[in-house]
Amino acid sequence: RRRRSASDQGIPPFVACHRTRSTHDRLAKDPRATSKSEMSGVDEVTAATAATSLADAADETTAEQVVTPWDVAGGADGKIDYAKLVNDFGCQVIDEQLIARIEKVTGVKAHPFLRRGMFFAHRELDQIVSAYEKGEKFYLYTGRGPSSESLHLGHLIPFHFTKWLQEAFKVPLVIQLTDDEKFLWKDMSLEAARRLARENAKDIIATGFDPRRTFIFSDVNYMCTPFYLNTLKIAKCVTFNQARGIFGFAGESNIGQIGFPPTQAAPAFPDCFPHLFGTEKKSLRCLIPCAIDQDPYFRMTRDAAPRIGGYKPALVESRFFPALKGESGKMSASDPTSAIYVTDTPKQIKDKVNKYAFSGGRETLEEHRLLGGNLETDIPWKWLNFFLDDDDELAKIGKEFSSGAMSSGEIKARLIECLSPMIAEHQRCRALVTDATVDQFFSTAPRDFDSMFGELSGDPPAPPKEGEAVSFQGGENLVARGAPEPA
């Protein structure tokens, strides 16, 4: 079985529990279950999860795949069945037609993550594109739980894709750093969580975001009246039984954990950020790039949206980034050989790939030449699908490795050539990010609403000077210039 922590994959750990036996089958086995037609989105997730728990207790030997906030495990073959996840969650697969529409409306070639199916599923992404085609604006929202000093490559995946979305559609972005969540779930002091939020922000900024239309905030610093009003309204829409069903809360869960989910849901509504978007809840639609296991979580948010007067957020959802030691392995900070970190040296990258990257090659070179490599299990091949931009070269590598013409050593060498300059460039950019730069991204100084959309001209303004006062907390009186007025 494939079992690894969701947080170790660059996935925020406050996502929904899910075991992928058919929802309908499970509800049918439980005579107390409500029919699907009578359920809200939240009730459907709750009932499915509750039925799952009963089935698991009676059938512990079944090798089901498991996707929870803290644990990801494949089925009997160790793999995640993404088609089943899509079917069970009721989201949609991103097809070639939708990708073509995105390319047409943005005038930009689709990102490799989109072309190659790394981001493969969605909820109402087509509606976001349709609205954009009509001239309507939207904003992006993503986040990270700051739990480690250094990010690994899996952590950067959502930020690289989000940056592409931002530049292609020319829209603003909010990035949530959940220092409060890490304090509540981890053996970590609040001071440590707040420090890590700023350190992780430096790596996020180093991916190339522009402060003129990017706002990064930590929950502890930013919490303000507009944000808190939304968390309260969302919280009132979700019962404890529903929250327990979605998030797996138990008797030993502290009440901070139980009360946290609305804090992650709230940024999907623009009036949480009056200094960016004004005070109108329907001033903008929201698109959330996230991993597929967050889908049930945002079904909760989408269920609450019309009840609090907002738009349902749209989602674009990714597969999991495979661990270095194989899909059944785990990327863990306690094992530095389990992942490639953004702080690794060229020698460390080379050693890790050569020694620890799971190979789909054969036992001997002779056998490999005869039978060819296995693309289904080879981690260098899977990672090249993420990081090699050239489609033609990627296809050539896949053909040669699967035929046996390219050896395991050669495909590993190509991955090293791909990763080393990319990480070196990240380190160069990270070294340029100062505390003043972080302050600039965290600043709640009111923006000009229209200037955050469309083409940007010139260079970003300089970060605040030493000693210059910068506020990180939002407020009702900090309102963007030119933002839509409440209806």
Side-chain angles (χ1 to χ4, degrees), residues 443 464-471:
S443 172
K465 296 177 181 178
E466 186 177 353
E468 185 177 339
V470 180
S471 175

Side-chain angles (χ1 to χ4, degrees), residues 98-111 114 125 128-129 132-133 138 164-171 287 455:
L98 181 54
I99 294 174
R101 286 182 63 197
I102 291 171
E103 291 184 327
K104 181 177 180 181
V105 75
T106 62
V108 177
K109 184 178 181 180
H111 193 282
L114 199 56
L125 175 61
I128 289 286
V129 174
Y132 189 81
E133 288 169 340
F138 70 93
W164 178 83
L165 285 172
Q166 183 185 38
E167 292 179 346
F169 285 97
K170 303 177 178 61
V171 294
L287 174 61
E455 295 288 349

Side-chain angles (χ1 to χ4, degrees), residues 59-256:
D59 187 14
E60 197 62 38
T61 60
T62 301
E64 291 182 52
Q65 64 181 15
V66 177
V67 179
T68 76
W70 306 276
D71 199 17
V72 176
D77 60 359
K79 299 178 181 179
I80 294 295
D81 186 341
Y82 290 102
K84 189 165 182 58
L85 278 177
V86 168
N87 181 66
D88 289 350
F89 287 161
C91 49
Q92 296 176 282
V93 172
I94 297 173
D95 58 23
E96 293 297 326
Q97 182 179 2
L98 181 54
I99 294 174
R101 286 182 63 197
I102 291 171
E103 291 184 327
K104 181 177 180 181
V105 75
T106 62
V108 177
K109 184 178 181 180
H111 193 282
F113 294 170
L114 199 56
R115 300 197 305 270
R116 298 169 188 169
M118 281 67 183
F119 278 80
F120 75 107
H122 74 100
R123 283 190 182 276
E124 297 185 353
L125 175 61
D126 55 334
Q127 293 189 24
I128 289 286
V129 174
S130 295
Y132 189 81
E133 288 169 340
K134 297 174 183 176
E136 293 185 29
K137 299 177 172 68
F138 70 93
Y139 74 102
L140 296 162
Y141 158 44
T142 192
R144 166 157 172 77
S147 60
S148 60
E149 295 282 350
S150 176
L151 277 60
H152 59 59
L153 289 179
H155 293 141
L156 291 183
I157 295 298
F159 295 108
H160 280 293
F161 185 64
T162 300
K163 179 176 177 288
W164 178 83
L165 285 172
Q166 183 185 38
E167 292 179 346
F169 285 97
K170 303 177 178 61
V171 294
L173 161 69
V174 296
I175 300 174
Q176 181 183 44
L177 299 174
T178 55
D179 43 4
D180 51 349
E181 179 267 338
K182 287 304 174 185
F183 168 68
L184 293 169
W185 261 270
K186 297 283 188 179
D187 182 17
M188 179 186 296
S189 70
L190 188 53
E191 293 73 23
R194 296 182 72 185
R195 183 186 63 80
L196 287 175
R198 287 186 64 89
E199 288 302 306
N200 286 184
K202 292 177 181 179
D203 278 307
I204 294 169
I205 293 167
T207 61
F209 292 110
D210 192 308
R212 288 174 288 181
R213 55 177 166 213
T214 304
F215 174 58
I216 304 176
F217 68 100
S218 83
D219 288 340
V220 172
N221 282 341
Y222 182 71
M223 185 59 69
C224 58
T225 299
F227 196 99
Y228 189 55
L229 287 173
N230 274 307
T231 65
L232 285 176
K233 292 174 183 178
I234 295 165
K236 193 171 182 178
C237 293
V238 184
T239 68
F240 173 65
N241 281 339
Q242 290 170 335
R244 181 174 57 187
I246 295 170
F247 299 101
F249 295 133
E252 61 270 20
S253 300
N254 66 62
I255 61 174

Side-chain angles (χ1 to χ4, degrees), residues 327-371:
E327 294 216 57
S328 60
K330 172 182 173 181
M331 289 185 282
S332 171
S334 62
D335 178 10
T337 66
S338 64
I340 302 295
Y341 289 84
V342 295
T343 53
D344 284 348
T345 65
K347 184 179 187 305
Q348 287 174 318
I349 295 168
K350 181 178 180 180
D351 289 346
K352 285 183 180 182
V353 171
N354 283 330
K355 293 179 182 178
Y356 303 110
F358 189 86
S359 174
R362 304 296 175 173
E363 290 294 324
T364 66
L365 182 59
E366 182 181 8
E367 185 181 356
H368 183 82
R369 297 297 189 201
L370 179 65
L371 301 176

